[in-house]
Amino acid sequence: KVILNGWGVGETHYGAYAGRARVKGDWLVPLPDGMSPHDAMAVGTAGYTAMLAVMALERHGIVPDRGPVVVTGAAGGVGSVAISILSTLGYHVIASTGRNAESPYLIDLGAAEVISREELSQPAKPLAKERWAGGIDSVGTHTLANVLSMTSYGGAIAACGLAGGMDLPTSVAPFILRGVSLLGIDSVMAPKPVRLEAWRRIATDLDLKKLSTLSRSIGFDGIIDAARDIIDGKIRGRVVVDM
């Protein structure tokens, strides 16, 4: 049993929802022991990207003792898995969401605090009060600019998405006055050794009970409606297509 995500499948290569697909063997990674195919797809590209972001923060020395970490777009696929992993690893997680009704869900996943997206959505100051040691951002634009301006000295933010926009209206102040680092996360073309390590870590550091909480299944005929709901911001966590 193997996992395939990224490499342009469903974008430049046919087969995203195929029952069978002919692909390059180098694109495949083995399904970790103790994880079912359904589990793997509940993690999916979003959860795998979240793990890549966690690993990047760890490489930069952002460990739980450094202080809180923020996760933006918290109720989405990346955010939901990131919160679960980070909390399991012992981090104090601050979840940022535009859907206040999802606060109980985020706390159940392991968030210690939930803040409104509005706190981060306005144009950012060059520097603001230090609030966290690190974070994972899937939103971009003003949200990422604010997150950077509020990162403590020597901290780091892993950027992996653009749900709010592709622009980044910030200044050099966080980088040259606080030594903050912006860590870019790409999941699509990540080399195989990195993928293998990410999936190994997912198998050990992601609570499968939380995974079942943050995912749901739909039939093949539900794909189009689910896609519309994702665009409209109505989906929380992950959706698995039962083939």
Side-chain angles (χ1 to χ4, degrees):
K1 292 182 173 63
V2 294
I3 300 168
L4 168 57
N5 59 281
W7 300 118
V9 174
E11 297 170 308
T12 58
H13 187 90
Y14 290 123
Y17 294 108
R20 292 183 178 182
R22 182 173 183 172
V23 300
K24 293 183 179 180
D26 289 343
W27 291 354
L28 306 174
V29 298
L31 182 71
D33 291 339
M35 181 175 284
S36 70
H38 185 280
D39 292 337
M41 291 299 95
V43 174
T45 296
Y48 149 74
T49 302
M51 189 73 247
L52 292 178
V54 171
M55 290 163 55
L57 292 176
E58 291 175 336
R59 287 195 300 271
H60 197 77
I62 308 302
V63 294
D65 289 346
R66 286 285 298 272
V69 291
V70 64
V71 175
T72 66
V78 173
S80 294
V81 178
I83 290 168
S84 181
I85 293 172
L86 289 166
S87 64
T88 298
L89 294 173
Y91 289 85
H92 180 101
V93 182
I94 301 172
S96 167
T97 181
R99 294 180 271 173
N100 294 332
E102 299 291 5
S103 293
Y105 161 76
L106 298 172
I107 291 170
D108 285 344
L109 289 181
E113 303 175 48
V114 180
I115 63 174
S116 172
R117 176 172 61 195
E118 298 303 316
E119 293 188 37
L120 304 174
S121 62
Q122 301 304 312
K125 298 178 181 178
L127 287 176
K129 181 181 178 181
E130 298 179 38
R131 298 179 64 177
W132 34 70
I136 298 175
D137 175 68
S138 59
V139 179
T141 191
H142 294 298
T143 295
L144 178 53
N146 275 292
V147 166
L148 288 166
S149 76
M150 298 174 185
T151 301
S152 58
Y153 192 92
I157 302 299
C160 60
L162 43 74
M166 191 178 285
D167 60 319
L168 180 54
T170 188
S171 73
V172 297
F175 310 113
I176 65 173
L177 297 180
R178 287 187 182 158
V180 170
S181 296
L182 180 58
L183 312 175
I185 306 299
D186 168 63
S187 66
V188 177
M189 305 302 289
K192 192 166 185 177
V194 175
R195 292 170 180 267
L196 291 170
E197 176 62 10
W199 281 102
R200 184 191 70 78
R201 289 286 306 277
I202 288 167
T204 59
D205 297 339
L206 178 59
D207 186 333
L208 293 183
K209 291 182 180 178
K210 290 183 179 179
L211 182 62
S212 65
T213 299
L214 63 85
S215 61
R216 66 182 177 91
S217 297
I218 62 172
F220 191 85
D221 57 358
I223 292 173
I224 300 299
D225 287 341
R228 292 193 181 104
D229 287 342
I230 289 171
I231 296 297
D232 293 339
K234 297 177 181 178
I235 294 288
R236 79 176 187 190
R238 300 282 299 140
V239 176
V240 178
V241 180
D242 184 348
M243 300 301 297

mmCIF file of all heavy atoms in Angstrom, residues 54-87:
data_model
loop_
_atom_site.group_PDB
_atom_site.id
_atom_site.type_symbol
_atom_site.label_atom_id
_atom_site.label_comp_id
_atom_site.label_asym_id
_atom_site.label_seq_id
_atom_site.Cartn_x
_atom_site.Cartn_y
_atom_site.Cartn_z
ATOM 1 N N VAL A 54 5.628 21.816 10.715
ATOM 2 C CA VAL A 54 6.079 21.510 12.077
ATOM 3 C C VAL A 54 7.563 21.143 12.069
ATOM 4 O O VAL A 54 8.347 21.607 12.912
ATOM 5 C CB VAL A 54 5.240 20.374 12.687
ATOM 6 C CG1 VAL A 54 5.845 19.908 14.017
ATOM 7 C CG2 VAL A 54 3.794 20.820 12.887
ATOM 8 N N MET A 55 7.961 20.322 11.124
ATOM 9 C CA MET A 55 9.366 19.916 11.021
ATOM 10 C C MET A 55 10.273 21.114 10.760
ATOM 11 O O MET A 55 11.379 21.200 11.310
ATOM 12 C CB MET A 55 9.515 18.869 9.912
ATOM 13 C CG MET A 55 8.898 17.526 10.257
ATOM 14 S SD MET A 55 8.627 16.435 8.811
ATOM 15 C CE MET A 55 10.261 16.367 8.078
ATOM 16 N N ALA A 56 9.814 22.061 9.950
ATOM 17 C CA ALA A 56 10.605 23.258 9.673
ATOM 18 C C ALA A 56 10.783 24.099 10.936
ATOM 19 O O ALA A 56 11.877 24.623 11.203
ATOM 20 C CB ALA A 56 9.946 24.080 8.572
ATOM 21 N N LEU A 57 9.715 24.244 11.720
ATOM 22 C CA LEU A 57 9.822 24.984 12.981
ATOM 23 C C LEU A 57 10.803 24.298 13.926
ATOM 24 O O LEU A 57 11.619 24.963 14.587
ATOM 25 C CB LEU A 57 8.449 25.106 13.637
ATOM 26 C CG LEU A 57 7.418 25.983 12.934
ATOM 27 C CD1 LEU A 57 6.086 25.920 13.668
ATOM 28 C CD2 LEU A 57 7.897 27.434 12.836
ATOM 29 N N GLU A 58 10.729 22.975 13.999
ATOM 30 C CA GLU A 58 11.652 22.228 14.864
ATOM 31 C C GLU A 58 13.096 22.439 14.431
ATOM 32 O O GLU A 58 13.980 22.638 15.287
ATOM 33 C CB GLU A 58 11.308 20.746 14.846
ATOM 34 C CG GLU A 58 9.989 20.397 15.523
ATOM 35 C CD GLU A 58 9.639 18.930 15.372
ATOM 36 O OE1 GLU A 58 10.122 18.279 14.424
ATOM 37 O OE2 GLU A 58 8.871 18.428 16.208
ATOM 38 N N ARG A 59 13.359 22.392 13.131
ATOM 39 C CA ARG A 59 14.732 22.597 12.641
ATOM 40 C C ARG A 59 15.245 23.975 13.012
ATOM 41 O O ARG A 59 16.445 24.177 13.198
ATOM 42 C CB ARG A 59 14.790 22.409 11.118
ATOM 43 C CG ARG A 59 14.660 20.976 10.656
ATOM 44 C CD ARG A 59 15.096 20.818 9.206
ATOM 45 N NE ARG A 59 14.298 21.624 8.295
ATOM 46 C CZ ARG A 59 13.175 21.208 7.721
ATOM 47 N NH1 ARG A 59 12.693 19.994 7.992
ATOM 48 N NH2 ARG A 59 12.509 21.982 6.886
ATOM 49 N N HIS A 60 14.326 24.925 13.127
ATOM 50 C CA HIS A 60 14.715 26.292 13.482
ATOM 51 C C HIS A 60 14.817 26.473 15.001
ATOM 52 O O HIS A 60 15.112 27.566 15.465
ATOM 53 C CB HIS A 60 13.704 27.298 12.904
ATOM 54 C CG HIS A 60 14.231 28.695 12.867
ATOM 55 N ND1 HIS A 60 15.139 29.134 11.908
ATOM 56 C CD2 HIS A 60 13.998 29.765 13.677
ATOM 57 C CE1 HIS A 60 15.418 30.402 12.131
ATOM 58 N NE2 HIS A 60 14.755 30.812 13.198
ATOM 59 N N GLY A 61 14.566 25.423 15.743
ATOM 60 C CA GLY A 61 14.678 25.514 17.197
ATOM 61 C C GLY A 61 13.439 26.001 17.909
ATOM 62 O O GLY A 61 13.488 26.371 19.087
ATOM 63 N N ILE A 62 12.299 26.010 17.202
ATOM 64 C CA ILE A 62 11.051 26.428 17.842
ATOM 65 C C ILE A 62 10.441 25.206 18.520
ATOM 66 O O ILE A 62 9.681 24.443 17.927
ATOM 67 C CB ILE A 62 10.071 27.045 16.818
ATOM 68 C CG1 ILE A 62 10.762 28.155 16.016
ATOM 69 C CG2 ILE A 62 8.831 27.588 17.534
ATOM 70 C CD1 ILE A 62 11.331 29.277 16.868
ATOM 71 N N VAL A 63 10.827 25.014 19.763
ATOM 72 C CA VAL A 63 10.354 23.894 20.578
ATOM 73 C C VAL A 63 9.338 24.434 21.581
ATOM 74 O O VAL A 63 9.213 25.645 21.771
ATOM 75 C CB VAL A 63 11.536 23.211 21.290
ATOM 76 C CG1 VAL A 63 12.449 22.545 20.269
ATOM 77 C CG2 VAL A 63 12.316 24.204 22.139
ATOM 78 N N PRO A 64 8.561 23.545 22.236
ATOM 79 C CA PRO A 64 7.511 24.024 23.149
ATOM 80 C C PRO A 64 7.991 25.011 24.206
ATOM 81 O O PRO A 64 7.259 25.943 24.561
ATOM 82 C CB PRO A 64 6.996 22.726 23.772
ATOM 83 C CG PRO A 64 7.189 21.699 22.703
ATOM 84 C CD PRO A 64 8.480 22.068 22.040
ATOM 85 N N ASP A 65 9.217 24.836 24.704
ATOM 86 C CA ASP A 65 9.719 25.729 25.752
ATOM 87 C C ASP A 65 9.959 27.155 25.269
ATOM 88 O O ASP A 65 10.098 28.069 26.099
ATOM 89 C CB ASP A 65 11.025 25.173 26.346
ATOM 90 C CG ASP A 65 10.800 23.927 27.190
ATOM 91 O OD1 ASP A 65 9.632 23.655 27.536
ATOM 92 O OD2 ASP A 65 11.790 23.234 27.488
ATOM 93 N N ARG A 66 10.007 27.356 23.953
ATOM 94 C CA ARG A 66 10.242 28.696 23.423
ATOM 95 C C ARG A 66 9.040 29.617 23.605
ATOM 96 O O ARG A 66 9.171 30.839 23.564
ATOM 97 C CB ARG A 66 10.612 28.622 21.931
ATOM 98 C CG ARG A 66 12.005 28.127 21.641
ATOM 99 C CD ARG A 66 13.075 29.169 21.934
ATOM 100 N NE ARG A 66 12.908 30.336 21.091
ATOM 101 C CZ ARG A 66 13.461 30.465 19.865
ATOM 102 N NH1 ARG A 66 14.189 29.477 19.367
ATOM 103 N NH2 ARG A 66 13.278 31.571 19.164
ATOM 104 N N GLY A 67 7.857 29.040 23.747
ATOM 105 C CA GLY A 67 6.660 29.854 23.905
ATOM 106 C C GLY A 67 5.539 29.411 22.999
ATOM 107 O O GLY A 67 5.650 28.405 22.283
ATOM 108 N N PRO A 68 4.423 30.159 23.000
ATOM 109 C CA PRO A 68 3.258 29.777 22.191
ATOM 110 C C PRO A 68 3.557 29.784 20.698
ATOM 111 O O PRO A 68 4.484 30.459 20.227
ATOM 112 C CB PRO A 68 2.223 30.858 22.543
ATOM 113 C CG PRO A 68 2.707 31.467 23.812
ATOM 114 C CD PRO A 68 4.193 31.379 23.788
ATOM 115 N N VAL A 69 2.742 29.023 19.976
ATOM 116 C CA VAL A 69 2.781 29.061 18.514
ATOM 117 C C VAL A 69 1.374 29.353 18.015
ATOM 118 O O VAL A 69 0.388 28.918 18.610
ATOM 119 C CB VAL A 69 3.304 27.747 17.907
ATOM 120 C CG1 VAL A 69 4.780 27.561 18.204
ATOM 121 C CG2 VAL A 69 2.513 26.547 18.406
ATOM 122 N N VAL A 70 1.288 30.098 16.924
ATOM 123 C CA VAL A 70 -0.008 30.458 16.359
ATOM 124 C C VAL A 70 -0.256 29.650 15.093
ATOM 125 O O VAL A 70 0.684 29.344 14.344
ATOM 126 C CB VAL A 70 -0.071 31.977 16.047
ATOM 127 C CG1 VAL A 70 0.928 32.371 14.964
ATOM 128 C CG2 VAL A 70 -1.485 32.395 15.662
ATOM 129 N N VAL A 71 -1.507 29.273 14.877
ATOM 130 C CA VAL A 71 -1.912 28.586 13.652
ATOM 131 C C VAL A 71 -3.062 29.371 13.052
ATOM 132 O O VAL A 71 -4.111 29.529 13.681
ATOM 133 C CB VAL A 71 -2.354 27.131 13.932
ATOM 134 C CG1 VAL A 71 -2.884 26.486 12.648
ATOM 135 C CG2 VAL A 71 -1.206 26.319 14.512
ATOM 136 N N THR A 72 -2.863 29.896 11.845
ATOM 137 C CA THR A 72 -3.925 30.650 11.179
ATOM 138 C C THR A 72 -4.724 29.714 10.272
ATOM 139 O O THR A 72 -4.282 28.619 9.949
ATOM 140 C CB THR A 72 -3.351 31.808 10.346
ATOM 141 O OG1 THR A 72 -2.579 31.274 9.263
ATOM 142 C CG2 THR A 72 -2.463 32.701 11.208
ATOM 143 N N GLY A 73 -5.912 30.184 9.869
ATOM 144 C CA GLY A 73 -6.777 29.307 9.082
ATOM 145 C C GLY A 73 -7.034 28.024 9.838
ATOM 146 O O GLY A 73 -7.058 26.923 9.276
ATOM 147 N N ALA A 74 -7.259 28.156 11.143
ATOM 148 C CA ALA A 74 -7.188 27.020 12.051
ATOM 149 C C ALA A 74 -8.213 25.932 11.772
ATOM 150 O O ALA A 74 -7.953 24.759 12.028
ATOM 151 C CB ALA A 74 -7.326 27.503 13.494
ATOM 152 N N ALA A 75 -9.385 26.284 11.270
ATOM 153 C CA ALA A 75 -10.423 25.279 11.051
ATOM 154 C C ALA A 75 -10.287 24.566 9.712
ATOM 155 O O ALA A 75 -11.014 23.615 9.439
ATOM 156 C CB ALA A 75 -11.809 25.920 11.157
ATOM 157 N N GLY A 76 -9.347 24.995 8.890
ATOM 158 C CA GLY A 76 -9.130 24.353 7.600
ATOM 159 C C GLY A 76 -8.341 23.063 7.729
ATOM 160 O O GLY A 76 -8.003 22.625 8.834
ATOM 161 N N GLY A 77 -8.010 22.473 6.599
ATOM 162 C CA GLY A 77 -7.316 21.194 6.607
ATOM 163 C C GLY A 77 -5.924 21.275 7.201
ATOM 164 O O GLY A 77 -5.558 20.487 8.080
ATOM 165 N N VAL A 78 -5.116 22.221 6.725
ATOM 166 C CA VAL A 78 -3.762 22.388 7.263
ATOM 167 C C VAL A 78 -3.836 22.761 8.742
ATOM 168 O O VAL A 78 -3.154 22.173 9.589
ATOM 169 C CB VAL A 78 -2.983 23.457 6.480
ATOM 170 C CG1 VAL A 78 -1.641 23.745 7.163
ATOM 171 C CG2 VAL A 78 -2.748 23.019 5.048
ATOM 172 N N GLY A 79 -4.670 23.742 9.055
ATOM 173 C CA GLY A 79 -4.757 24.226 10.430
ATOM 174 C C GLY A 79 -5.204 23.167 11.406
ATOM 175 O O GLY A 79 -4.635 23.026 12.502
ATOM 176 N N SER A 80 -6.213 22.388 11.040
ATOM 177 C CA SER A 80 -6.743 21.366 11.937
ATOM 178 C C SER A 80 -5.686 20.327 12.286
ATOM 179 O O SER A 80 -5.508 19.953 13.457
ATOM 180 C CB SER A 80 -7.957 20.680 11.306
ATOM 181 O OG SER A 80 -9.036 21.568 11.157
ATOM 182 N N VAL A 81 -4.974 19.838 11.273
ATOM 183 C CA VAL A 81 -3.943 18.829 11.525
ATOM 184 C C VAL A 81 -2.770 19.453 12.275
ATOM 185 O O VAL A 81 -2.200 18.828 13.181
ATOM 186 C CB VAL A 81 -3.482 18.173 10.214
ATOM 187 C CG1 VAL A 81 -2.372 17.154 10.491
ATOM 188 C CG2 VAL A 81 -4.647 17.486 9.519
ATOM 189 N N ALA A 82 -2.402 20.684 11.922
ATOM 190 C CA ALA A 82 -1.292 21.348 12.610
ATOM 191 C C ALA A 82 -1.571 21.491 14.099
ATOM 192 O O ALA A 82 -0.696 21.235 14.936
ATOM 193 C CB ALA A 82 -1.031 22.719 11.981
ATOM 194 N N ILE A 83 -2.786 21.907 14.439
ATOM 195 C CA ILE A 83 -3.149 22.053 15.856
ATOM 196 C C ILE A 83 -3.039 20.716 16.571
ATOM 197 O O ILE A 83 -2.488 20.623 17.681
ATOM 198 C CB ILE A 83 -4.573 22.625 15.991
ATOM 199 C CG1 ILE A 83 -4.604 24.082 15.543
ATOM 200 C CG2 ILE A 83 -5.078 22.505 17.435
ATOM 201 C CD1 ILE A 83 -6.000 24.638 15.377
ATOM 202 N N SER A 84 -3.544 19.674 15.956
ATOM 203 C CA SER A 84 -3.513 18.354 16.572
ATOM 204 C C SER A 84 -2.080 17.894 16.814
ATOM 205 O O SER A 84 -1.735 17.437 17.908
ATOM 206 C CB SER A 84 -4.250 17.345 15.693
ATOM 207 O OG SER A 84 -4.243 16.070 16.274
ATOM 208 N N ILE A 85 -1.225 18.029 15.802
ATOM 209 C CA ILE A 85 0.175 17.594 15.936
ATOM 210 C C ILE A 85 0.908 18.431 16.973
ATOM 211 O O ILE A 85 1.592 17.897 17.866
ATOM 212 C CB ILE A 85 0.893 17.662 14.574
ATOM 213 C CG1 ILE A 85 0.321 16.624 13.603
ATOM 214 C CG2 ILE A 85 2.399 17.435 14.756
ATOM 215 C CD1 ILE A 85 0.843 16.765 12.185
ATOM 216 N N LEU A 86 0.788 19.754 16.864
ATOM 217 C CA LEU A 86 1.507 20.634 17.780
ATOM 218 C C LEU A 86 1.104 20.400 19.225
ATOM 219 O O LEU A 86 1.949 20.371 20.130
ATOM 220 C CB LEU A 86 1.276 22.093 17.389
ATOM 221 C CG LEU A 86 1.956 22.560 16.101
ATOM 222 C CD1 LEU A 86 1.367 23.905 15.650
ATOM 223 C CD2 LEU A 86 3.465 22.676 16.277
ATOM 224 N N SER A 87 -0.189 20.219 19.467
ATOM 225 C CA SER A 87 -0.645 20.009 20.837
ATOM 226 C C SER A 87 -0.149 18.670 21.380
ATOM 227 O O SER A 87 0.235 18.564 22.551
ATOM 228 C CB SER A 87 -2.171 20.091 20.920
ATOM 229 O OG SER A 87 -2.789 19.057 20.174
#
